Amino acid sequence: MAEQRRADIVENLTNVRNAMQNASSPQETRLVAVSKYKPAQDLLYAYEAGQRHFGENYVQELVDKSAQLPKDIQWHFIGHLQSNKAKTVVSIPNLYVVETVDNIKKANTLNKACDGLRPDPLRVYVQVNTSNEEAKSGVAPADCVKVCQHIIDSCPRLELSGLMTIGMFGRDPSEENPDFKCLAECKNQVEQALPGKTLELSMGMSEDYVQAMRAGSTNVRVGRTIFGERERPQKKE
Ligand SMILES: *Cc1c(COP(=O)(O)O)cnc(C)c1O
């Protein structure tokens, strides 16, 4: 059973890597294996096949898995971050980036939380609500420059390093994706307003990571295509 599970994950991972290679986009793109709800053992199979960047949505899962798994894993926090859990998250030494800074207040909270807990500035991405959906977190595209400017001016313990979007589900993959286009435009605006700054673009998931790469993504977040469908556990934080 366990060996079959390993074989499946390694095969899925290989397929994703091949598809990324074949996308032949000009920029380099990092693969983040999104492992929410999946047991640590599944992540270890991917790790042993060379995967180092993993994405988690829930603080408690991130805490548990980061304690159990190798310390050279680079963790991406990609969930909705509650202020009272900011310190817990930034305390994880091999946290690579928090991808979900979705307003100025959150940036301030994280900045403060880092005080005394991290020797180097913490990488953050600003999450943008490119689809303008009420249910989605993120800054409005029109506010993106302002929020980025704030982080650079007022959050010395944070390092602004990219923009992130989830985007609308169920878009037609044969057409240009308006969310990807919007995030790329936000990046251009920020880079023009803040000369010398180069931002990453975190966009693309299982259904559309190849398309996202063609639209300029430097960080794709792929879950189900690597680990299979998720079953929501009975109880969640
Ligand atoms: C769950 C999740 C993903 C991965 O989604 P899949 O469809 O499983 O690839 C990517 N990004 C975020 C923010 C997520 O919550």
Side-chain angles (χ1 to χ4, degrees), residues 32-37 55-58 77-80 99-100 127 164-166 169 202 204-209 220-230:
V32 180
V34 174
S35 41
K36 56 175 172 266
Y37 303 162
E56 286 287 340
N57 291 63
Y58 301 99
F77 186 76
I78 61 171
H80 186 75
E99 297 204 9
T100 45
Q127 182 176 358
M164 177 270 206
T165 186
I166 295 176
F169 296 113
S202 174
M205 318 204 304
S206 281
E207 310 296 333
D208 51 19
Y209 62 94
V220 292
R221 311 178 308 267
V222 179
R224 286 167 299 136
T225 301
I226 297 170
F227 296 112
E229 291 300 322
R230 288 180 287 272

Side-chain angles (χ1 to χ4, degrees), residues 27-237:
Q27 79 283 2
E28 249 187 78
T29 306
R30 169 191 312 120
L31 171 61
V32 180
V34 174
S35 41
K36 56 175 172 266
Y37 303 162
K38 297 296 176 182
Q41 183 64 62
D42 280 4
L43 284 72
L44 195 57
Y45 293 144
Y47 175 89
E48 285 165 356
Q51 183 64 32
R52 289 296 177 272
H53 287 261
F54 289 86
E56 286 287 340
N57 291 63
Y58 301 99
V59 173
Q60 196 53 52
E61 273 195 71
L62 177 57
V63 167
D64 293 344
K65 290 175 187 171
S66 63
Q68 289 173 53
L69 289 165
K71 299 302 174 227
D72 62 337
I73 285 182
Q74 315 262 271
W75 294 102
H76 293 230
F77 186 76
I78 61 171
H80 186 75
L81 183 62
Q82 292 168 279
S83 300
N84 62 349
K85 302 207 170 143
K87 274 193 186 244
T88 311
V89 170
V90 307
S91 301
I92 295 168
N94 49 332
L95 176 69
Y96 181 78
V97 60
V98 172
E99 297 204 9
T100 45
V101 172
D102 53 7
N103 57 52
I104 283 179
K105 198 165 156 239
K106 189 89 43 104
N108 291 340
T109 303
L110 268 178
N111 183 59
K112 197 155 165 257
C114 287
D115 194 13
L117 289 178
R118 299 189 73 86
D120 298 315
L122 171 66
R123 277 183 209 89
V124 294
Y125 300 162
V126 169
Q127 182 176 358
V128 185
N129 187 357
T130 53
S131 51
N132 195 22
E133 290 169 276
E134 243 177 75
K136 287 227 163 80
S137 306
V139 309
D143 293 336
C144 199
V145 171
K146 187 177 73 186
V147 176
C148 290
Q149 181 87 59
H150 173 85
I151 293 172
I152 288 176
D153 292 345
S154 312
C155 299
R157 295 183 194 92
L158 305 183
E159 181 191 333
L160 172 71
S161 56
L163 303 178
M164 177 270 206
T165 186
I166 295 176
M168 191 180 274
F169 296 113
R171 299 250 198 224
D172 183 347
S174 67
E175 286 175 15
E176 184 180 50
N177 184 308
D179 292 302
F180 300 162
K181 193 169 172 228
C182 177
L183 200 68
E185 280 166 8
C186 288
K187 168 184 149 87
N188 289 340
Q189 284 170 13
V190 174
E191 289 178 350
Q192 268 175 21
L194 308 170
K197 197 78 206 159
T198 309
L199 293 181
E200 293 191 39
L201 284 178
S202 174
M203 57 191 196
M205 318 204 304
S206 281
E207 310 296 333
D208 51 19
Y209 62 94
V210 169
Q211 196 193 7
M213 285 176 67
R214 296 198 174 121
S217 178
T218 60
N219 188 87
V220 292
R221 311 178 308 267
V222 179
R224 286 167 299 136
T225 301
I226 297 170
F227 296 112
E229 291 300 322
R230 288 180 287 272
E231 263 179 70
R232 226 182 154 77
Q234 290 294 307
K235 194 167 158 284
K236 262 291 127 213
E237 59 182 329

